[in-house]
Amino acid sequence: MALRLAKHWCLSAIRSPLQVISFPALQLHVSGTAMRADQKDFENAVTRVKLLKKDPGNEMKLKLYALYKQATEGPCNVPKPGVFNLINKAKWDAWNALGSLPKETARQNYVDLVSSLSSSSASSSQVKPGADKEQQGSENLVVTSENGITKIMLNRPTKKNAITTQMYQEIILALKAASKDDSTITVLTGNGDYYCSGNDLSNFTDVLSGEIEEKVKSIAILLRDFVDCFIDFPKPLIAVVNGPAVGISVTLLGLFDAVYASDRATFHTPFSHLGQSPEGCSSYIFPKMMGPAKAKEMLIFGKKLTAGEACARGLVTEVFPDSTFQTEVWTRLKAYSKLPPNAMRVSKQIIRNMEKEKLHAVNAEEVSVLQERWLSDECINAVMNFLSKRAKL
Ligand SMILES: CCCCCCCCCCC/C=C/C(=O)SCCNC(=O)CCNC(=O)[C@H](O)C(C)(C)COP(=O)(O)OP(=O)(O)OC[C@H]1O[C@@H](n2cnc3c(N)ncnc32)[C@H](O)[C@@H]1OP(=O)(O)O
């Protein structure tokens, strides 16, 4: 089975230069009891390193390796490799050089170092507090803040705004920044004819042979953190659904405070077709929102809804004709952004707090099930069929 998976995934996998000096294997737990905050920061940082698109260079990788070992095992306690064992000797030297640095300090230094690496590639998508003008966005995610509204726009119109792993991370950063900036409301929307076609199925090919399960764990943690950000987002969060929405972009809507849709929009969650299962807390929110029968029609059988149907089921707040969609919605949003921000926050808090713990538990459970699904033949075959252009939704 492992060989078969490796063969599948390697079809389009690119060997990352990060592998020249490989990182220690991780034992991270996706579900289960809550972790201490600093340990969670550390584990998040380990995940982010694995998802870095740009090779940080061997010197940096040695620093990260040494700090990781010190943070997890303490001072170097293994025999020095022979002089001809160049890579292992370099790793040993880096670890040994940290002497008796306490584990906690090593963990903190590791988190700081990873933050500096991640921010150099993703800082452009963060909105600084107090900003009141257009911000520099990354290529695939444009974040602007104006007149009390922070707008996060998916910007991959040629790929129907499919979400790459890099974009999941950028959205997390953008939401964290928006929760602290001086805007009153936050909006998520898409550029082009689609709102979002869901998870970019190419994310599946970005997996190296021999470390599939480890990579799956990292992605699972990323997904859980991503959805957690929506659960915890403190201000009114509004989706401006400018066109069709697929997969995770639909399930997440249950965590928004208002969903405005163009009458061109459709809502499709084809999880069974893809050998996958629901996420974004939809397995809990959808049945509560629209009743179990209607929720199952979407989440198990993949029924695609029109905007009107989604509105009738409570997933959409209001539908607008496409010709006047942007004008009408933005006029509405500008008016909302002038409402007293603290009152809106506390009202949202009261409503969300009743369910927060439950939502985090649901998220963890959904991700844990998905982790298994991603390694199933059903899922692998569906993704391979899409990527080899044999299938479309
Ligand atoms: C090993 C573990 C790794 C796991 C990684 C998982 C990470 C977290 C997962 C979270 C769970 C999320 C679940 C979901 O979101 S499920 C939904 C996934 N989405 C889809 O299945 C949609 C697939 N796309 C389509 O069926 C069609 O493209 C679509 C109906 C959306 C539009 O059809 P249309 O004919 O109008 O347009 P094209 O197909 O020509 O699309 C234009 C180009 O865009 C590319 N495209 C579109 N959507 C995606 C996508 N989701 N992923 C990747 N690429 C996408 C399409 O291929 C075209 O590209 P080219 O122009 O290069 O051919």
Side-chain angles (χ1 to χ4, degrees), residues 218-384:
S218 305
I219 299 270
I221 289 171
L222 176 66
L223 176 60
R224 194 189 58 178
D225 288 348
F226 177 75
V227 175
D228 275 347
C229 273
F230 285 84
I231 297 172
D232 292 331
F233 194 71
K235 300 177 181 178
L237 183 61
I238 292 136
V240 172
V241 186
N242 53 298
V246 185
I248 192 165
S249 72
V250 176
T251 55
L252 281 175
L253 294 175
L255 293 168
F256 281 68
D257 303 299
V259 177
Y260 297 124
S262 149
D263 60 6
R264 239 180 14 84
T266 52
F267 298 81
H268 195 188
T269 47
F271 299 125
S272 300
H273 300 71
L274 292 165
Q276 295 184 48
S277 51
E279 77 293 284
C281 296
S282 58
S283 62
Y284 174 68
I285 295 177
F286 279 26
K288 271 190 23 154
M289 177 188 269
M290 55 187 79
K294 296 292 185 191
K296 285 186 251 182
E297 209 179 15
M298 287 187 81
L299 298 176
I300 301 180
F301 303 114
K303 182 180 160 87
K304 191 198 282 190
L305 303 188
T306 63
E309 287 167 337
C311 195
R313 292 183 185 196
L315 183 60
V316 164
T317 312
E318 195 170 334
V319 182
F320 297 82
D322 194 56
S323 54
T324 54
F325 177 63
Q326 297 289 346
T327 327
E328 288 197 59
V329 167
W330 287 102
T331 306
R332 172 90 52 98
L333 293 177
K334 274 179 199 149
Y336 286 173
S337 72
K338 305 224 161 29
L339 292 171
N342 293 334
M344 289 199 287
R345 281 173 86 112
V346 294
S347 298
K348 169 161 182 169
Q349 237 169 49
I350 287 180
I351 300 167
R352 180 53 51 91
N353 283 352
M354 313 267 182
E355 294 268 58
K356 217 176 220 183
E357 222 175 293
K358 175 76 184 169
L359 291 172
H360 284 299
V362 171
N363 182 24
E365 177 61 19
E366 287 178 344
V367 170
S368 150
V369 172
L370 261 177
Q371 224 179 313
E372 309 241 315
R373 285 279 91 215
W374 292 332
L375 294 171
S376 70
D377 281 354
E378 289 178 347
C379 177
I380 292 165
N381 290 337
V383 173
M384 293 310 293

Side-chain angles (χ1 to χ4, degrees), residues 4 8 11 201 379-393:
R4 174 140 179 271
H8 271 308
L11 283 178
L201 295 175
C379 177
I380 292 165
N381 290 337
V383 173
M384 293 310 293
N385 280 340
F386 175 79
L387 294 176
S388 57
K389 311 267 180 217
R390 284 198 297 271
K392 222 180 246 194
L393 291 172

